[in-house]
Amino acid sequence: MSLPKPVMRGLLGKRLRFHLPIAFTLSIISAIAFKYAVTEPRKQAYADFYKQYDSVKEFNAMREAGIFESVRPSGE
Amino acid sequence: MIQMLHLTAGRVGSRLASRAAAAFSVGSARMASTSHAVSDVVDMSKPQYWDRRDIPLPDRAFKESLTAADQSLKQKEKGPWGQLTKEEKIALYRMSFCQTYPEMNEPSAEWKTVMGGIFIFLGITGLVVLWQSIYVYPETPPTFDPELQAKQIKRMLDMRINPIEGFSAKWDYEKGQWK
């Protein structure tokens, strides 16, 4: 009946010392991963789209399709 | 409180009540299987004994009425503890506490009842929803027909919905087909 005395103090500190660096590292890694997997490609996609974008041509295509109420297709 | 739940389970005796009682006592004391008659009422104004993980020292000892042998052991406890044998120490422990922490923390098979109840009620809900879909819901609107859905898709493409990364970006406007 002589067990060693269990650890009574410093339990939260030990847990924090172990888990906080892991938590911070994982959070930063996930933020960096999100930036380079999602936001950078998205910005590039928008840039590429607008590089070759002719707004007048698009407007006329939409007009001919008949979706506007202010300008009807040129045939009418 | 646990005794009161025993009363409920004993008196009503339906699966519903015992499952509700089991749900209330999850994480707290392990329920003994006896159910008391109404006459065995607990005086809630006095300190209670609990077997709970978060109450390591309950408000009172487990055994209040000690036999003569127990009382003499309690007298011996007032002396140096090195003179107590192992069995005496265990007997003193059992006088103060009903269960040890490992006994208290033993897993039970309650989860099977809980999952079974969940699935049963999900099944009943499914039957109710099925009956509703036949006898309650009105006709689906004409806009759900495939021809009208195709018209809606065409209008979305004409309006250039999400042309960069979303809907219209997947449509090839030159060839008139999905990319």
Side-chain angles (χ1 to χ4, degrees):
Chain A
M1 289 279 280
S2 54
L3 300 162
K5 180 172 172 176
V7 180
M8 307 287 261
R9 292 160 188 255
L11 297 163
L12 178 64
K14 180 173 165 210
R15 180 188 167 82
L16 287 178
R17 248 173 284 123
F18 179 75
H19 281 99
L20 272 180
I22 296 173
F24 271 87
T25 321
L26 283 179
S27 316
I28 291 172
I29 287 175
S30 58
I32 294 172
F34 190 82
K35 179 184 174 72
Y36 287 108
V38 179
T39 59
E40 287 303 316
R42 186 170 289 166
K43 285 199 269 188
Q44 196 55 39
Y46 272 73
D48 295 337
F49 179 81
Y50 283 111
K51 221 174 280 176
Q52 308 294 334
Y53 187 63
D54 184 358
S55 55
V56 179
K57 172 169 162 253
E58 292 290 319
F59 167 74
N60 282 321
M62 284 193 249
R63 176 189 176 179
E64 297 310 318
I67 60 161
F68 294 127
E69 292 180 13
S70 50
V71 266
R72 298 309 305 165
S74 45
E76 293 171 22
Chain B
M1 183 177 69
I2 305 301
Q3 287 90 331
M4 273 176 14
L5 288 172
H6 282 244
L7 300 174
T8 325
R11 243 188 287 140
V12 181
S14 72
R15 197 204 305 136
L16 203 62
S18 69
R19 203 177 312 117
F24 285 137
S25 63
V26 160
S28 63
R30 207 159 62 122
M31 269 173 54
S33 52
T34 57
S35 62
H36 302 271
V38 184
S39 57
D40 197 27
V41 175
V42 180
D43 186 353
M44 294 288 168
S45 60
K46 298 213 191 92
Q48 307 271 317
Y49 174 80
W50 296 124
D51 269 321
R52 282 181 60 130
R53 263 181 244 163
D54 50 349
I55 304 182
L57 297 174
D59 297 342
R60 67 168 175 87
F62 179 55
K63 272 200 226 164
E64 293 280 74
S65 48
L66 303 173
T67 67
D70 288 340
Q71 275 171 357
S72 68
L73 193 53
K74 275 284 180 189
Q75 285 300 112
K76 194 174 172 194
E77 192 191 20
K78 293 184 183 169
W81 287 344
Q83 291 175 356
L84 294 168
T85 69
K86 185 171 161 201
E87 291 76 20
E88 285 173 339
K89 288 181 193 168
I90 293 177
L92 283 166
Y93 180 89
R94 293 288 173 184
M95 272 188 246
S96 302
F97 303 102
C98 178
Q99 289 178 309
T100 66
Y101 262 69
E103 285 167 15
M104 194 196 310
N105 293 341
E106 269 166 17
S108 73
E110 184 187 9
W111 67 274
K112 298 178 197 166
T113 311
V114 171
M115 291 307 289
I118 289 172
F119 290 137
I120 286 171
F121 279 102
L122 279 177
I124 294 171
T125 309
L127 287 173
V128 169
V129 168
L130 178 67
W131 179 86
Q132 276 182 340
S133 68
I134 299 169
Y135 290 104
V136 176
Y137 294 165
E139 298 286 321
T140 55
T143 45
F144 280 67
D145 298 338
E147 303 83 21
L148 278 167
Q149 282 207 1
K151 279 193 190 173
Q152 286 173 54
I153 293 173
K154 178 172 188 326
R155 190 177 156 81
M156 280 173 75
L157 290 169
D158 290 339
M159 289 196 283
R160 309 294 194 272
I161 299 287
N162 282 334
I164 303 170
E165 277 196 325
F167 188 73
S168 306
K170 301 195 169 79
W171 177 259
D172 192 341
Y173 280 96
E174 276 96 55
K175 293 198 203 125
Q177 64 186 25
W178 293 107
K179 286 185 189 164

